[in-house]
Amino acid sequence: MTTTTPARTTTRMAALVSEIRTVVERGLAPDLTAYLVGERLAPHLGAPDLLTPAQQEGDPERYRQHILHAESDGSFSVVALVWLPGQETCIHDHVSWCVAGVHQGEESERRFRLAPGAGPARLVATEDVVNAQGEVCGFAPPGDIHKVRNSCTSKAISVHVYGADVSRLGTSIRRVYTLPVD
């Protein structure tokens, strides 16, 4: 993943950040926060004035992260992930609650659960989801192990909100899984 920081914020993005701030300041449980943030994000997805042209640029080598906002107190961050066809993440989980909404294109997600056994632990695929433009999903650890990929033949862009300061951490990924997958 390559990362860039924002050159500027659009008026629509500034409004979205304000809406997210209002939810986060309530101090609710992580899963409820993710749900309510997802409700705020959904109406903005697909709007042509949400992202600047520079914030929609991909990288031919790997998916690209554009940091759009990091709250000064570290309570949340907003990023745009730009995926060219076939680009994908590793299997991973997150440092905090997360909301992802597809702004353009389509993304496929495979969700996993950790299955301890008599031998070494393994991952079991639990669900395959295809998210189209305008769709939102949210989750909170634990139970947030997944892999995401651009499953369409054109560029895909998703907007993610994390309950952590991604500008400081560099990523929202807590752990990468290399366990056997059933």
Side-chain angles (χ1 to χ4, degrees):
M1 168 181 58
T2 57
T3 301
T4 59
T5 54
R8 70 178 183 89
T9 299
T10 66
T11 302
R12 182 181 284 273
M13 180 56 66
L16 174 58
V17 165
S18 179
E19 293 174 41
I20 294 167
R21 183 179 297 121
T22 299
V23 170
V24 172
E25 286 175 345
R26 294 174 64 186
L28 302 170
D31 56 342
L32 182 54
T33 299
Y35 176 80
L36 294 172
V37 167
E39 284 187 332
R40 301 321 184 272
L41 175 60
H44 298 278
L45 296 171
D49 59 342
L50 182 62
L51 304 173
T52 68
Q55 294 164 343
Q56 299 177 60
E57 292 178 2
D59 180 322
E61 300 299 318
R62 60 195 60 82
Y63 71 96
R64 186 173 190 178
Q65 173 181 266
H66 296 275
I67 299 174
L68 307 174
H69 176 81
E71 192 72 352
S72 61
D73 67 0
S75 60
F76 72 91
S77 303
V78 183
V79 304
L81 296 183
V82 180
W83 316 74
L84 299 181
Q87 291 179 337
E88 62 186 10
T89 68
C90 53
I91 299 172
H92 65 281
D93 63 7
H94 295 272
V95 297
S96 69
W97 59 265
C98 174
V99 174
V102 178
H103 180 64
Q104 174 185 319
E106 183 177 277
E107 293 176 357
S108 294
E109 176 186 19
R110 175 164 277 183
R111 298 175 184 169
F112 300 89
R113 70 175 171 81
L114 191 57
R122 65 191 194 292
L123 293 172
V124 176
T126 59
E127 187 176 15
D128 287 309
V129 179
V130 177
N131 296 305
Q133 192 248 321
E135 294 184 320
V136 175
C137 63
F139 49 83
D144 62 321
I145 303 169
H146 68 162
K147 178 178 187 166
V148 181
R149 72 183 300 269
N150 176 351
S151 57
C152 59
T153 57
S154 60
K155 177 170 54 177
I157 302 173
S158 50
V159 176
H160 297 237
V161 184
Y162 301 107
D165 185 346
V166 173
S167 69
R168 183 178 58 80
L169 298 174
T171 181
S172 68
I173 295 173
R174 178 175 66 142
R175 185 173 32 214
V176 171
Y177 291 85
T178 57
L179 298 170
V181 176
D182 288 349

